[in-house]
Amino acid sequence: MAQAELHFLKGRSENGYVTFGIPWKRGEVTDSNFKAEDETGEIPVSSRPIAYWPDGSYKWTSHTVKAQGNVKVSSGESIAVTGNTVTENIDAFTVNNGVIDAVFPKSGSVLMKTAYAEASLRAIKELRSNEDGCLLTKQITYLGEIDNVKIEETGAMKTVVRVEGVYKNEKFGAFLRYITYFTVYNNEHEINVKLTFIYDGDSNRDFIKGIGIDFTQKMTGELYNRHIKIAGDYGVMHEAVQMMNLWRPRLGLPIYKKQMSGEAIDFDGVVDQRNGNQVDMKDIDNVTKWDFYRLQQVTSDSFIVKKRTAPEECTFIKSGFGGRSKGLLYAGSTEKGIAVALKDFYQKAPSSIYVQGLSQENCTVTAWIIPPDAEAMDMRHYDTVSHDQTYYEGFPWVGSDAYGIAATNEATLYMFDKVPSDDDIMLKADRMQNPPVLVCTPEYYHELKVMGEWSLPSRETPLKAWIEDELDKAFDFYRNEIEQRRWYGTFDYGDIMHTYDSQRHCWRYDMGGYAWQNTELVPTLWLWYEFLRTGREDVFTVAEAMSRHAADVDVYHIGDLKGIGSRHNVVHWGDSCKEPRIAMAGHHRALYFLTGGDYRIRDVFDDVKDGDFATLKMDPLRFFYKKEEMKLPTHARSGPDWSTYCSNWYTQWELNADTKYRDKIQTGIDDLKQAPMRMISGSNYEYDPETGHLGYIGETASGGSHLAVCMGGPETWIELADLLDDEVFKDMLIQYGSFYFLPIDEKRRRSKGLLTGNGFVYPYMASALAAFAARELKDEKLAYQVWQVLIHSLAGANKDEGFDEEVVSYYNNPKLREMFWISTNFTAQWCLNSIIAMEYTKDVMKWDKNEYEFEPWTKS
């Protein structure tokens, strides 16, 4: 019987609804019937397959449970429950989860309706002009109009509804596209909303002044029984629309305390304590009516609360402040109300939640992903000229283009029949910001070779202990840098910087290609492998944020560039090099599988699956070859271009059992078999996206041979070698790995003079591939070379360096922690190659030496 055990990550919520993925051995599972149990006994579960082995058995399955404590999932029939039901008519889908009906119209601008609130989308464009020296701004509001509604999934535990469309204004047309996923959990008064907006404007003129999700409710009850609650850093701010702490009539403390406890109050029999007369309700009506509240996370370190009465000519007053709000606001009465929470509230600052209409018949709570109280999002480039030579940008012209980039944010609607307690507010806010994650053990993932082969942590010898220490220090440094450098914001959160500036004690944030990393040299893979092997929650959090950022912001999702992305730059979409490698599906496979088939990430996989066609208009080697002399329509380097396509196609093959994409991989492999040096040849090739054929054009590697091995290629190829039943392909990889470290003269000899032998630089980037060859060939000498390269590339000639921090005084931090030499390219590749090489070489060489006994490796 197939069985897997899972546990909640510490540091996250550890109960409630959660969706997760489980990998299985090849041939082990072919039936989607599963049962689950937690610490209370057997619990209901929804299950579905999300990836397949080549034999058709399930590679990964997705499960949703509502659990307390550790969970065990095994094959068998789940206990019967009354699950969600979905009905459809000509106008809408209706989801009933046992306690609410959620209606999803097929047209219009209301995306969802419940008895508590209805949801709609709003965007605001800002246009700027200069007249007679005066800067004029014009703000245009657009509403999200529905184009398509689809039930993605429904079962015992949840229903997922996909709604997509365009933001429209009747007079000014369309601006921005959206995809929204609503998740309705069984028997719960809450609905999760995941909103992706795609930029389709003119970067130079169309500024984004606001992106919001509106939840509009009909208000009930007297104004003094209507309440607002806001989750701050440490507790809840609670007020009422009319607060009964009055001068006249004098009501006394008990009624005010009752009101502020969230209980309904009335004035039957209540007397003015000054004179004993019945309270006149005209006096109560004179109490200030607070109608509009704004929770504004202005920066990652500061939030403010402002409020106003209903008349628009009145000012806002400051009513609260703090550091990092937990991003939840409740508005309602003692009879009914809603709360709205926005995930990553301070990490994506500026962000806000508004409530307007508290004193009116209808009240709207808006989760502002881009809030109108902040400066508009400026999609322009940072300069009008390129800095290709001075600052490592792509080409000698500006290629910045935001058309087609995206951003995804998550909100949750909570529905109440009474004023929730402060404890309930904080519990929901904490859960929103730290949602539960159910995972298997690293040992389980390791046994099944999830995402390929990688090592489990081991400190059995001095050398292994040293490697583990350096891996820990490297990750801890970057985790702390995110906070220390405040790498936060709507389009920035999740990314890290490329290269450090020791003289300014900061990263080269303003120096062309040295600024944001944009997945260069796959820090994504480093982080996901580090999580799989350690199971650390902080690693998962950093890796998830990076994948979510890179999958949306660094990739083009519509237009001519759909399926490729932008190289590292000061502005995420700013570099003139638009390349497939940034959009590689392999960056995010771990996130997709571990979260049980995240729908947004699946959309991204679909966006990039045919990214090779984008090179018909954006040939990566267009400036190195004459079009009229080409036999095939475009070019692809074996890596990182074709290797990226392999990752994209492999993902489609395993997700959908789509052999069309498997065959396209095999076509390229068969072409490489015909090259003089097989995988070693090139790496420049002509390429045809229609057929997948590579055309050999000689031994030229634009950008260097190392680009074929440092962008996720070896990790993808070695996984594929186990699945394609192609021993020749496996032998090609072994040949490649054993060749990279050869002396120059030997490279020339083996290639019969075809190769000069000089292009194989940065050997630490090829260490994992060389370690694979060492294992397959049982080559102890090559295994030692791998570790000579890795140790001395980090430890330096004197073997006294590493990922060691220094503390300096800086203008905004008297205890700034830095590494003066740090480069994310090096760190990501060193860590990734070390993690993999430890696995491949564990049985090939003796590990009882320590790091100081390895002599420096040099190319002869």
Side-chain angles (χ1 to χ4, degrees), residues 648-840:
N648 299 343
W649 301 334
Y650 171 30
T651 302
Q652 290 300 312
W653 178 29
E654 65 179 343
L655 263 58
N656 305 310
D658 191 338
T659 56
K660 163 191 166 184
Y661 288 100
R662 177 206 62 192
D663 294 345
K664 210 168 181 181
I665 295 170
Q666 191 66 56
T667 295
I669 291 173
D670 291 342
D671 288 335
L672 290 172
K673 289 175 183 177
Q674 305 306 311
M677 294 294 291
R678 304 194 299 184
M679 289 294 293
I680 302 165
S681 279
S683 58
N684 293 0
Y685 288 84
E686 289 185 356
Y687 176 68
D688 184 355
E690 285 289 348
T691 65
H693 275 297
L694 293 165
Y696 177 71
I697 52 176
E699 300 299 331
T700 304
S702 298
S705 299
H706 66 289
L707 290 180
V709 298
C710 66
M711 304 284 186
E715 291 75 26
T716 301
W717 293 329
I718 293 171
E719 267 199 83
L720 283 168
D722 280 339
L723 300 175
L724 288 171
D725 195 24
D726 187 334
E727 288 300 316
V728 177
F729 180 46
K730 184 176 181 180
D731 186 63
M732 291 161 63
L733 296 173
I734 295 169
Q735 178 193 22
Y736 197 3
S738 61
F739 187 87
Y740 207 101
F741 284 10
L742 289 175
I744 291 174
D745 289 344
E746 183 62 14
K747 287 188 175 80
R748 291 172 181 160
R749 187 188 71 80
R750 293 197 186 186
S751 67
K752 298 179 181 180
L754 272 175
L755 302 177
T756 66
N758 290 312
F760 296 82
V761 294
Y762 307 118
Y764 68 90
M765 297 181 182
S767 294
L769 186 60
F772 172 73
R775 183 185 71 179
E776 298 302 311
L777 297 171
K778 297 181 173 58
D779 188 336
E780 184 178 11
K781 180 181 177 182
L782 181 55
Y784 274 114
Q785 282 185 313
V786 166
W787 288 106
Q788 286 172 324
V789 166
L790 286 169
I791 290 166
H792 292 285
S793 62
L794 174 62
N798 298 322
K799 312 181 193 68
D800 60 356
E801 299 171 12
F803 294 108
D804 296 322
E805 299 175 0
E806 297 179 6
V807 178
V808 299
S809 181
Y810 194 43
Y811 76 92
N812 65 353
N813 186 348
K815 295 182 179 180
L816 182 80
R817 298 158 62 179
E818 69 172 7
M819 296 183 197
F820 71 91
W821 61 270
I822 196 72
S823 154
T824 301
N825 276 5
F826 173 82
T827 305
Q829 280 293 296
W830 189 91
C831 293
L832 176 63
N833 279 271
S834 294
I835 287 169
I836 298 171
M838 277 196 289
E839 180 68 12
Y840 288 145

Side-chain angles (χ1 to χ4, degrees), residues 174-190:
F175 175 58
L176 306 180
R177 309 178 195 188
Y178 73 85
I179 301 169
T180 306
Y181 287 100
F182 293 87
T183 302
V184 184
Y185 290 106
N186 183 246
N187 211 38
E188 293 288 322
H189 283 82
E190 65 181 65

Side-chain angles (χ1 to χ4, degrees), residues 19-22 48-52 59-63 152-153 181 194 450-451 528 540 543-544 547-548 551 585-606 651-652 654-656:
T19 299
F20 54 94
I22 301 176
R48 63 187 179 98
I50 55 173
Y52 301 87
K59 189 175 185 180
W60 283 85
T61 51
S62 172
H63 308 272
E152 289 284 358
E153 172 189 355
Y181 287 100
K194 189 172 287 186
V450 171
M451 297 280 292
W528 282 120
F540 184 94
E544 179 187 20
S547 271
R548 294 201 183 281
H587 292 301
H588 319 303
R589 283 173 65 230
L591 176 62
Y592 178 79
F593 291 132
L594 292 170
T595 57
D598 181 281
Y599 283 102
R600 175 57 195 157
I601 298 300
R602 188 201 62 183
D603 284 345
V604 174
F605 290 160
D606 287 343
T651 302
Q652 290 300 312
E654 65 179 343
L655 263 58
N656 305 310

